[in-house]
Amino acid sequence: MFTAIMTNDKSNNVHPKQCAQKLAALGRQRDTAELLTTCADDRTASWFERLRSVEALGTLGTRYRQSAAHRMLALADETAIRARKWFVARALIALGPAFHKDAAGVLHAVLDSSTTDTNERLWAAHTLASLSPEHHAAVAQELRSIIDHPLADDWERPLALGRLAALGGEHRDSARAVLRADLADHRLSCDVRVRTAKELLSLGTDCHPEAVAALHDIATTTYAFKSRISAWRQLTNVGSRQQEAYASLLDLMGLRDADMAQLDDERLPQFSRADACDVERAAECFRGTLRQVEPNHRAYTIALHGLVELGDRFHGEAARDAIAYLRADRVHHTELAHWVHSLRELAGPTKLDLARTIEETLPTDRLSSEQIWNAHDAMTNLGSSAQPLLLTVVQDRSTRPITRFRAAIALTDPTTIQNLLPEDIDSTHWHDRASQTAALGVDVIAALRSAVEHPDVRQSASDSARVALAALNADAHTDDTPPLEDWTTILIDGRQPVSNRCVAAAKVLATDKNQAHLTLSLIGRFLRDDLYTAAERAHVYQSFVYLQRRQAANVLVTSQSLFDDPTTRGVDRSQLVSGLPGVACREAQRTLLVDRTLPVAHRIPTADIWGEVPLRTDVVEVLRNLFAAPEAAKSERIDAASQLADLSTRYVEEAAAALDDIGGFDARWAQAKMGLFWRRQILADSLADFQRAEAPREVKEDAGWMLWHLAPEVPDEVVEWLRDKAKDPGTADQERVRVLFELRHRDGLAGVRAMRDDETRAFAVRWKAAVMMRDRADDDQVAGVRVLARIAAEGRPALRWRAGQELMWFGDEGRERGAEALLRIVEDVELPRVVRAQAARVMAHERPDTRARMVRVLDDLAETDDRCARRRVLEAVSEYRPYETAVALRELAEDPDNSAIERVRCAEAMAATHRGYREAAAMVVREVAWDDVVARHIRVRAARGLARWSDLCLREARRLITELREGARAVS
C-alpha cells in the first residue's frame, strides 16, 4: 500500500517521507531507497514531486544522506527558477549541519543574482539567517533593500521588517520604529497595517497596546471584509481580546453581512480550523451559505472550503455539497482545476467521488478540447484523470498546439509526441516542457537542434529551442538576446513607440531587479504624459501593473480614469476592467456587456480564477439576443455562439444549432471546435464535397481548406491539390503565396522566398511574402527590408505608406528606412492628401519624437474642400486630437450638402473617436436611414449604426433593418 501511494499519489496530501518511514520500519529500507531514487530521477514527474522523493530519501538514515544531498544540488542546478533553489536549500538544511555549507552556497547564489525578485530574496535571506549569526550582516543588508524596493509586494515590506527585527540589536530597534510608523500611517491599506501589527505583536509586549488598538479599529470600522477577518484572527492571540475575536469570526463565517462586491478580490478570504472556537456553530454558519438557492459563487467557495477545514467529520457533507455544485455547472471549465484544488484536504475516496462527478457531467463528444483538457487537469488534482478522452484533444487541430502537446505528454505516447514536435516547437515557448518530453524517450534534442539551425523556424521558437537545449545540457547555451545595455537604450529612447519601451522595461527588470526605481519611475511618467494617447496610456498601465505586481492607490485611480475616458477604445477598456476594485469592476463589466459597439469577445467578462463568470445570467441573455439582432454581422453571431458554448456544456447544443442557421466556412469551423461530434460530421461532409466531381469550385475550395486545417491526418489528395494550386498559372499570386506558406511544414519556405525576391512579381505580392517571412531567419529580415524599402519608394501611393509602416517592424535598420520613407511621403506635395495623412499618422505613432510636427501636418492637410479627403484626414488625426476631431466630424456629418454615405462614414468616425458623440451620430444616421431617396444598402448601414449607438432608437432601427432587407429580397 505504501509503495502504491508513493508511486501513484499526485494529490500532494501525503508526503513520500511519511510512506518511506513506514515502509522502512517494515524492514524494507533498501527497497524504499531504490523506489525513492527511481522517483527522484524520473524527469517525467514534476520538479517538486522529485524533490519530495529526495527529501524522503534523506530521512532513511546516514548512509543515504550524501546521495540525497547530491540529488538536491542536481535539482538546484537543473532549474532556473530561484524560488525552487530556496526549497532545495531548506531540504539541505533538514539533512543536518554537515550540509549547511552546501545550503548556504545555494542561498548565496540566489541572493547574488540580479534577476532574483524580492519574494525570492526575502525567503533566501530569512533561511540564510537561520544557519548562523555569521550571516546576519549580509542578511540585514538584503532585508533593508527589500523594505523600500518598488517591486516589493504589500506583505513583503512588513515581513522583511519583522525578519530584520528578529536579528536583534540595532536591527531590532530600527525595524520596530519603522513598523510603528507604518501602523500609524492610515494611507496604507488595511491589509498592510494588519500585517504590520502582526509583526509588532511578535516583537514583545511593549508593542502590544498600539498593535492591538490598531487591529481592533480595523476589525470594527473597516468596510473590507478580508481585512476584518485578518484583524480578528490576529486578535485571537491576544488574551484580552480573544473571546471577542472568536465571537466576531464566528459571525463573519455566516457571510451574511459581507457585501459580496468585497469578495471580488481574487485572493479570497479563507477560514481555518483555528478560527473556530465552536466547531459545530462554525459548521452551521457555513451551511447557511451552502443551502442558499442562488448563492454567491465566491461566498459558496469560501463556505465550502471552511467546512472542509473544520475536520474529517465534515468532509462527507462538504463533498456532497461540492458534487451538487459541480452538477449544477456553476464552475467555469477554465478554472475548474483551481476550484477543486481548494478541496485538496478531502480524503482520497471522497476526492475520487468528485472526479467521477466531473467525468459524468462531460458530454464527451460534444465537448471542446480545451474543456476536456481542463476537466482532465481538475481530475488529476483529485487523483484521477480523463485520459481516455485525451486522444481526442491530440487529434483536434482546431485547438491550441500547447493544449494538444500537453495532452500528448499526459498520454505518454512517444510516437504521438514525435509527430507533434515540429509544429509545436514552431508555435509555442518550449523550454518548460523539454525535460519532461525527453524523459518519455522522444528524440527531442534532434528536433530542438533542427529548430535552432533551420532558417524556416520562427525566431522566437528558435530562441526557445536554444534555451530548452541548455536545460537538457545538450548544447552550450549561447544567449543571442540583446544585452541589458541595449534594452536600457530602448527604454530611454524617446524615438521609440511606448509599446517598445514597455517591452524594454520588462526585459530590463528581468535582467536586473536593481534597475526597478529607474524603470518604474519612467513607466509611471508615461502614464501622466499628455504626449501619449488614451490607447498608449492604457497599454502603459497594463505594463506597469504587470511589472510592479501590486496595485498602488494612484494606479487604481489611473485605471478608473482611463476606463471613464470617452476617448479610450473599447478593446482597451475591456482590459482595464480587471484592474478595478470590487463594485467599480462589476459596474464596468455591466457597462461593457451592454455596449453594442464592441466586438463580442470584449463585451463578455472572463471567468475569474475561482471559476465564476460575472453577470452570467445577463451574459447568456446578451449572447442569445445577438443571434437574432439584425444589426449584428455574421462574424459577431458566430462569436456569440462560440462564447455561449464555452460558457457551459448546457448551452453547446443551442450554440451549434445557431451556427447551423448561420452557415458558411467560419460557422462550420467554430462548430468543429465545439466537440468531436461536429468535427466528425464536418470532416465527412468536407471529404465528400472535395471528392465530388460536380461540386462547384467554391464548395470544393472550402472543403479542401477545411480538411487541410482540421483533419487529424490530412489526406494526400488534399496536399496534392494545394501543391497543384501553387503551380497552376491560373492561380492569383496573392493566393499562391498563401498556399506556399501553408505548405511550409512539408515543403519548406523556399517558394515564399522566391516570390518575395522575384522582381517580376507585383509589389503587393512581394510585400505579402516579405511580411510572412519577417520573423524567420536574419537573412529574411534583411531581404524584407530591401523589398519593402523599394516598395515605399517606387510603389503605388497606397502601397508606399503601408510599406513604410511595415518597415517600422523590421528591426533597427527597418525602422530607420521606414522613417525615411514615411517622411518623404509626408513632405511630397505631389502625392494624394490622404496618403500623406496616413504616412503622418504612422510616423506620429512609431516616432513619438515627431508627433507634434506630424499633428501640425495633419491639421494642415485637413484644411480642404474635399469632404471625403477631409474626413479621412480627420480619422488619421483622431487618436492624437480626439476632442477637436469629434467636433469637426460632427460638422461634416450634419452637413446636408454632404453625400449620404459620407455622412454615415463621418458619424461612424465620430462615434469611434469619442463615446460622448454617439447620440449625435445616432441622430445623423437616423435621418439617413429614413430617407427613401438614399440607396437601400446605405440606409441599412445607417440603421445598423443607429441600433448600436442609441438605446432609445434600438427597436425602431431593428424594425427598419428588417423591413429594408425584406424589401431587397422581394425586389430580387
Side-chain angles (χ1 to χ4, degrees):
M1 181 182 73
F2 294 130
T3 303
I5 292 174
M6 289 168 62
T7 54
N8 296 321
D9 187 86
K10 307 295 184 186
S11 66
N12 292 327
N13 280 5
V14 181
H15 198 293
K17 178 170 63 176
Q18 298 167 332
C19 295
Q21 290 169 343
K22 298 286 187 182
L23 195 57
L26 296 175
R28 301 278 299 279
Q29 191 174 61
R30 178 178 295 180
D31 293 340
T32 306
E34 290 177 359
L35 183 60
L36 288 170
T37 300
T38 300
C39 294
D41 295 341
D42 179 10
R43 299 189 77 170
T44 65
S46 76
W47 188 92
F48 280 108
E49 287 172 6
R50 294 165 62 200
L51 178 61
R52 281 152 57 99
S53 297
V54 177
E55 288 178 304
L57 180 65
T59 65
L60 294 182
T62 307
R63 60 184 295 193
Y64 296 107
R65 285 179 190 158
Q66 191 61 51
S67 174
H70 174 75
R71 283 180 166 78
M72 288 175 185
L73 291 170
L75 283 169
D77 290 337
E78 185 180 308
T79 181
I81 302 175
R82 288 162 299 279
R84 291 183 176 181
K85 294 181 186 291
W86 170 69
F87 280 106
V88 169
R90 283 203 319 173
L92 284 166
I93 293 170
L95 292 179
F99 302 97
H100 284 189
K101 184 176 180 181
D102 290 328
V106 172
L107 292 169
H108 278 297
V110 173
L111 294 172
D112 291 343
S113 172
S114 62
T115 60
T116 301
D117 67 26
T118 52
N119 180 268
E120 296 158 351
R121 196 170 293 279
L122 173 60
W123 291 111
H126 169 62
T127 307
L128 186 62
S130 69
L131 290 179
S132 169
E134 69 181 72
H135 300 295
H136 283 189
V139 168
Q141 184 178 349
E142 293 290 347
L143 292 172
R144 290 185 188 282
S145 72
I146 294 167
I147 290 167
D148 293 317
H149 202 289
L151 295 179
D153 211 341
D154 284 341
W155 62 270
E156 289 172 353
R157 175 182 168 88
L159 188 58
L161 284 165
R163 296 298 180 267
L164 183 63
L167 297 179
E170 60 177 322
H171 304 307
R172 177 186 176 86
D173 295 338
S174 61
R176 184 170 55 183
V178 176
L179 284 168
R180 280 175 161 158
D182 285 356
L183 184 66
D185 188 350
H186 287 262
R187 294 173 299 177
L188 297 176
S189 71
C190 290
D191 280 346
V192 172
R193 294 178 64 220
V194 168
R195 292 185 177 108
T196 301
K198 177 184 177 182
E199 295 302 327
L200 280 171
L201 287 174
S202 69
L203 295 183
T205 55
D206 58 326
C207 299
H208 282 200
E210 56 197 301
V212 170
L215 286 169
H216 194 265
D217 179 64
I218 292 169
T220 55
T221 64
T222 185
Y223 185 69
F225 186 72
K226 188 166 63 175
S227 297
R228 289 161 63 192
I229 294 174
S230 300
W232 284 123
R233 181 174 290 149
Q234 294 305 318
L235 288 171
T236 61
N237 300 315
V238 180
S240 60
R241 295 288 186 180
Q242 192 174 71
Q243 187 173 356
E244 180 187 5
Y246 277 124
S248 297
L249 282 171
L250 188 65
D251 185 56
L252 290 172
M253 287 176 187
L255 300 171
R256 291 182 300 276
D257 63 341
D259 182 343
M260 288 301 108
Q262 297 174 57
L263 301 181
D264 283 344
D265 186 345
E266 292 196 338
R267 297 176 181 174
L268 285 185
Q270 293 184 341
F271 293 98
S272 68
R273 171 65 182 82
D275 294 330
C277 58
D278 186 328
V279 172
E280 288 298 335
R281 290 182 63 192
E284 198 56 39
C285 287
F286 293 136
R287 290 184 187 116
T289 299
L290 297 174
R291 289 169 182 166
Q292 292 176 11
V293 177
E294 288 292 333
N296 174 279
H297 176 76
R298 296 191 174 197
Y300 191 97
T301 301
I302 294 170
L304 191 62
H305 178 269
L307 196 60
V308 172
E309 285 288 313
L310 292 181
D312 294 351
R313 63 194 178 97
F314 298 101
H315 284 189
E317 180 181 353
R320 288 191 294 275
D321 287 326
I323 287 172
Y325 203 67
L326 289 172
R327 289 191 186 282
D329 199 20
R330 299 290 185 92
V331 185
H332 193 260
H333 69 91
T334 53
E335 300 300 339
L336 183 59
H338 185 267
W339 192 83
V340 300
H341 186 66
S342 67
L343 305 175
R344 60 190 177 278
E345 299 301 326
L346 290 174
T350 309
K351 286 192 292 187
L352 290 178
D353 288 341
L354 280 175
R356 278 192 290 270
T357 300
I358 293 172
E359 188 173 21
E360 290 166 4
T361 58
L362 300 179
T364 53
D365 62 347
R366 288 167 170 79
L367 206 65
S368 74
S369 291
E370 295 293 336
Q371 289 170 322
I372 291 174
W373 173 254
N374 290 329
H376 167 78
D377 202 15
M379 292 169 69
T380 301
N381 280 346
L382 296 170
S384 182
S385 77
Q387 205 166 45
L389 299 178
L390 293 183
L391 186 58
T392 300
V393 178
V394 171
Q395 294 176 341
D396 180 9
R397 293 179 59 231
S398 69
T399 200
R400 298 182 304 162
I402 190 171
T403 302
R404 296 176 65 203
F405 203 87
R406 284 172 175 162
I409 290 177
L411 286 171
T412 63
D413 181 356
T415 303
T416 302
I417 296 171
Q418 191 78 52
N419 292 337
L420 286 175
L421 272 175
E423 184 177 351
D424 190 67
I425 290 175
D426 194 34
S427 303
T428 60
H429 290 291
W430 222 82
H431 52 271
D432 58 340
R433 301 196 300 285
S435 299
Q436 201 174 14
T437 307
L440 291 172
V442 178
D443 187 8
V444 65
I445 290 176
L448 291 169
R449 282 179 176 155
S450 175
V452 169
E453 298 165 1
H454 204 290
D456 289 355
V457 175
R458 289 183 309 112
Q459 193 61 51
S460 58
S462 179
D463 292 342
S464 181
R466 189 178 289 107
V467 174
L469 282 170
L472 294 171
N473 298 317
D475 292 318
H477 176 41
T478 55
D479 192 353
D480 295 334
T481 58
L484 175 62
E485 292 77 14
D486 290 356
W487 290 119
T488 304
T489 299
I490 295 173
L491 176 61
I492 63 176
D493 186 355
R495 299 178 304 168
Q496 294 282 345
V498 73
S499 57
N500 287 5
R501 298 177 78 179
C502 287
V503 170
K507 297 293 185 181
V508 168
L509 287 183
T511 307
D512 187 358
K513 296 295 189 295
N514 296 324
Q515 302 292 323
H517 285 281
L518 168 66
T519 303
L520 291 178
S521 64
L522 194 56
I523 295 293
R525 198 188 77 196
F526 297 161
L527 278 174
R528 301 183 297 273
D529 197 331
D530 291 337
L531 170 69
Y532 298 112
T533 66
E536 288 171 322
R537 283 184 285 120
H539 181 87
V540 172
Y541 166 80
Q542 297 291 343
S543 299
F544 190 87
V545 172
Y546 169 76
L547 294 173
Q548 196 175 30
R549 293 190 300 172
R550 59 180 179 176
Q551 293 188 340
N554 61 324
V555 181
L556 290 175
V557 170
T558 300
S559 175
Q560 185 70 64
S561 64
L562 280 170
F563 184 86
D564 294 338
D565 188 330
T567 67
T568 301
R569 300 176 306 180
V571 59
D572 296 318
R573 297 181 84 206
S574 68
Q575 293 172 350
L576 288 165
V577 167
S578 61
L580 297 174
V583 175
C585 177
R586 193 53 48 93
E587 288 306 308
Q589 288 168 336
R590 291 184 193 278
T591 299
L592 294 179
L593 184 60
V594 299
D595 188 343
R596 294 183 297 278
T597 67
L598 295 179
V600 176
H602 297 305
R603 295 177 66 180
I604 308 304
T606 56
D608 58 37
I609 65 168
W610 296 97
E612 179 185 26
V613 177
L615 311 173
R616 180 166 169 160
T617 302
D618 296 334
V619 166
V620 173
E621 182 181 357
V622 165
L623 292 174
R624 284 173 170 162
N625 287 341
L626 274 169
F627 295 157
E631 77 275 9
K634 181 177 179 179
S635 60
E636 289 178 289
R637 288 185 285 141
I638 291 172
D639 289 345
S642 298
Q643 291 280 348
L644 187 64
D646 184 71
L647 195 62
S648 168
T649 54
R650 69 175 65 176
Y651 303 124
V652 172
E653 294 282 358
E654 178 183 351
L659 290 171
D660 276 334
D661 294 339
I662 296 169
F665 184 93
D666 291 339
R668 285 185 293 128
W669 178 260
Q671 200 176 54
K673 298 180 74 170
M674 291 182 182
L676 182 62
F677 174 81
W678 292 283
R679 273 199 304 283
R680 283 175 175 162
Q681 181 178 316
I682 289 167
L683 284 171
D685 292 345
S686 297
L687 185 60
D689 287 339
F690 185 80
Q691 293 176 336
R692 185 158 49 94
E694 67 276 13
R697 186 184 65 83
E698 296 81 3
V699 172
K700 183 167 183 174
E701 189 89 5
D702 280 356
W705 282 115
M706 185 66 74
L707 290 166
W708 172 255
H709 288 296
L710 193 61
E713 295 291 336
V714 181
D716 291 341
E717 55 191 310
V718 174
V719 177
E720 291 309 312
W721 167 72
L722 283 176
R723 286 173 175 158
D724 290 342
K725 277 176 69 75
K727 297 173 186 175
D728 186 355
T731 301
D733 279 349
Q734 290 273 17
E735 176 70 1
R736 191 189 320 280
V737 74
R738 173 198 173 194
V739 171
L740 289 170
F741 189 75
E742 287 289 340
L743 287 165
R744 65 190 180 279
H745 291 304
R746 295 172 183 265
D747 300 342
L749 287 166
V752 179
R753 291 187 176 96
M755 294 193 72
R756 177 196 63 201
D757 299 334
D758 188 347
E759 298 282 348
T760 65
R761 304 283 181 184
F763 276 156
V765 175
R766 299 183 67 195
W767 169 34
K768 185 174 182 177
V771 172
M772 284 178 171
M773 302 300 295
R774 178 177 59 210
D775 61 346
R776 305 288 160 170
D778 291 342
D779 290 344
D780 289 316
Q781 192 166 88
V782 172
V785 170
R786 183 181 66 249
V787 170
L788 290 170
R790 183 178 172 192
I791 296 172
E794 303 174 13
R796 291 183 291 108
L799 274 181
R800 287 182 61 186
W801 75 262
R802 289 184 171 90
Q805 182 180 45
E806 290 289 352
L807 278 168
M808 303 302 283
W809 303 330
F810 271 75
D812 292 340
E813 183 183 356
R815 285 186 61 79
E816 291 299 321
R817 301 282 292 274
E820 293 170 3
L822 290 168
L823 281 174
R824 283 197 301 270
I825 295 170
V826 169
E827 294 168 355
D828 188 346
V829 295
E830 299 299 320
L831 288 173
R833 185 181 299 266
V834 172
V835 170
R836 295 174 64 199
Q838 293 293 354
R841 176 187 63 80
V842 174
M843 194 67 185
H845 181 271
E846 295 292 333
R847 284 283 301 272
D849 59 310
T850 69
R851 183 166 297 178
R853 176 187 167 194
M854 292 299 108
V855 170
R856 287 195 298 271
V857 169
L858 287 166
D859 285 342
D860 292 341
L861 291 172
E863 297 300 322
T864 176
D865 293 332
D866 184 337
R867 294 186 179 93
C868 178
R870 176 168 167 75
R871 186 257 308 165
R872 295 183 66 182
V873 174
L874 287 171
E875 286 180 298
V877 77
S878 62
E879 189 174 358
Y880 309 109
R881 296 172 65 88
Y883 298 95
E884 298 86 343
T885 299
V887 172
L889 286 168
R890 181 174 185 172
E891 291 177 0
L892 282 174
E894 294 176 345
D895 184 351
D897 294 331
N898 210 346
S899 67
I901 186 61
E902 271 304 308
R903 294 184 69 193
V904 172
R905 287 169 178 163
C906 288
E908 290 170 344
M910 171 171 57
T913 299
H914 193 297
R915 292 194 306 281
Y917 283 77
R918 286 182 182 176
E919 282 300 330
M923 293 304 97
V924 170
V925 294
R926 183 173 186 267
E927 181 182 335
V928 174
W930 284 105
D931 190 342
D932 292 336
V933 178
V934 175
R936 195 187 308 270
H937 70 281
I938 298 176
R939 294 178 64 193
V940 170
R941 179 169 172 173
R944 289 179 65 189
L946 181 62
R948 294 182 188 279
W949 301 326
S950 175
D951 292 332
L952 291 175
C953 299
L954 176 60
R955 291 185 179 180
E956 170 192 341
R958 286 178 169 172
R959 186 170 60 251
L960 180 57
I961 294 170
T962 302
E963 291 173 0
L964 290 170
R965 285 176 175 165
E966 288 175 350
R969 282 193 290 270
V971 170
S972 63

